[in-house]
Amino acid sequence: MYSNAPVRAKQNKAAFPQTFAALLARAAAAYGTRAAVLPCASSGAKTYRQLYTEYVYLCTALLSMGLKGARIALCGANGYAWLLAFLAAATVGDAVPLDAQRAPAELRGALRRVGARVLVADGARFDVLRGPEDSMVCIRLDSGAMSVRGLVETGRELCEGGCRGFEKAAPDPESGVIVFPSRGEGAEDGVRLSQRAVCENICGAAALFPIRPGQRVVPALRFDTVFGFEIGLLLPLFCGARLSVWSTPREICRHLRKTRADRLILSNEALRRLHRRACVLAGRHLPERSRTRFGAACRRMCAQI
């Protein structure tokens, strides 16, 4: 179990991949048919080779739409489609992950300030954030022709037809991710992290966090944060782990026993939520006279996290 403490480690800069494309290609070559993403609410299991192939297809489709260098905003629940869209967006241009829990007015303001040309969102958020006057390209996370899955199929057809857009457009290590800090922490226009910097952080974290190939890793994190996408998403893929992606603490609690996780990566907030959930489930099996005392003890423990 790991917390969101700062990561610091010295690494040989020549040793780590400098783009997400290189990171995924390295993982696909090393781990091939091993499971990369385990079955979750939004997809079946994906091997490292399948993940890399679908990533290339999605990048090819986005490049064919003239989106090289575009800022691509993502707003939605954790899932395989979000993971795939994030990796492709940071490769083609700049990925802009947004906190889906913020008010629609805040999110629309962030989209305007960052100059997003593309919005990738799920269900309800898609309809709320897309304005009738917007010129943004809108892509759904869930379903439809103009969805992540639909664009993967479009990219597959283009690649099978001889398109080599992904190979010709060499990934730029200086493109990457624009993140918005928590409320009240400034940087209204976001903070930009290059792929080179993110990959260096991941390699530093790999030296500190012992994740072995094939281990089942469950990140109880929001992927729109730096700690979330670096440590909860990219680090397990870099290490060859089997990633189990669930969107809420409730889903994680429900499936944790079935998943049989070797590593649980979470923030303090997620730890408190999971602890409260575990206390509620355990309290149901206690005699009535013991529940009040048990509940008070649980609240004291949560306050110390």
Side-chain angles (χ1 to χ4, degrees):
M1 184 182 295
Y2 307 126
S3 68
N4 51 346
V7 174
R8 296 287 185 273
K10 292 183 178 180
Q11 284 290 315
N12 177 5
K13 291 189 176 182
F16 64 82
Q18 300 193 17
T19 64
F20 293 171
L23 186 151
L24 293 173
R26 170 188 175 279
Y31 308 117
T33 56
R34 292 187 184 183
V37 183
L38 296 174
C40 62
S42 59
S43 75
K46 300 288 183 179
T47 66
Y48 275 91
R49 194 169 295 156
Q50 287 174 320
L51 171 62
Y52 179 69
T53 300
E54 293 190 357
Y55 156 79
V56 171
Y57 289 162
L58 183 55
C59 288
T60 300
L62 294 174
L63 290 168
S64 72
M65 296 165 65
L67 296 176
K68 175 71 173 176
R71 292 186 168 181
I72 302 175
L74 300 100
C75 186
N78 291 358
Y80 179 72
W82 194 102
L83 179 160
L84 200 60
F86 170 79
L87 294 169
T91 300
V92 170
D94 286 321
V96 186
L98 299 174
D99 181 357
Q101 298 175 356
R102 292 197 178 190
E106 289 185 69
L107 293 173
R108 283 193 289 267
L111 290 171
R112 286 193 299 272
R113 290 196 304 275
V114 81
R117 286 180 56 195
V118 183
L119 171 64
V120 184
D122 56 13
R125 300 177 186 90
F126 185 91
D127 296 328
V128 169
L129 296 177
R130 183 185 61 169
E133 72 286 351
D134 286 340
S135 59
M136 289 190 301
V137 176
C138 295
I139 301 170
R140 286 187 174 274
L141 278 170
D142 34 32
S143 60
M146 197 60 172
S147 65
V148 171
R149 174 50 50 194
L151 289 178
V152 167
E153 288 302 310
T154 299
R156 180 183 63 79
E157 294 171 2
L158 288 170
C159 289
E160 290 178 353
C163 178
R164 294 294 177 263
F166 178 77
E167 296 174 7
K168 293 178 181 178
D172 181 6
E174 297 308 315
S175 69
V177 187
I178 298 174
V179 292
F180 286 88
S182 302
R183 298 172 180 82
E185 294 185 6
E188 289 188 354
D189 295 330
V191 176
R192 193 168 182 279
L193 299 172
S194 69
Q195 291 183 71
R196 192 196 310 272
V198 171
C199 289
E200 183 174 0
N201 289 343
I202 293 166
C203 291
L208 298 175
F209 298 156
I211 297 177
R212 296 191 300 276
Q215 287 189 321
R216 295 174 184 243
V217 175
V218 177
L221 300 165
R222 288 180 13 229
F223 288 161
D224 57 84
T225 65
V226 177
F227 185 74
F229 66 73
E230 282 189 352
I231 307 301
L233 174 59
L234 294 173
L235 175 62
L237 295 177
F238 176 75
C239 294
R242 292 180 288 177
L243 191 63
S244 183
V245 180
W246 300 98
S247 59
T248 65
R250 178 174 294 181
E251 283 186 338
I252 292 168
C253 282
R254 188 182 304 146
H255 296 280
L256 201 53
R257 180 178 297 178
K258 182 174 68 175
T259 304
R260 295 179 181 175
D262 298 299
R263 295 287 185 269
L264 179 62
I265 306 177
L266 36 71
S267 64
N268 289 341
E269 176 190 0
L271 179 57
R272 281 192 291 269
R273 289 185 179 183
L274 286 172
H275 189 269
R276 284 196 294 268
R277 176 75 175 166
C279 289
V280 169
L281 294 174
R284 291 175 181 172
H285 301 285
L286 293 175
E288 185 68 35
R289 64 181 180 276
S290 303
R291 290 182 186 176
T292 302
R293 187 183 303 171
F294 179 77
C298 288
R299 285 192 292 273
R300 287 195 298 273
M301 291 181 67
C302 284
Q304 294 172 6
I305 297 174

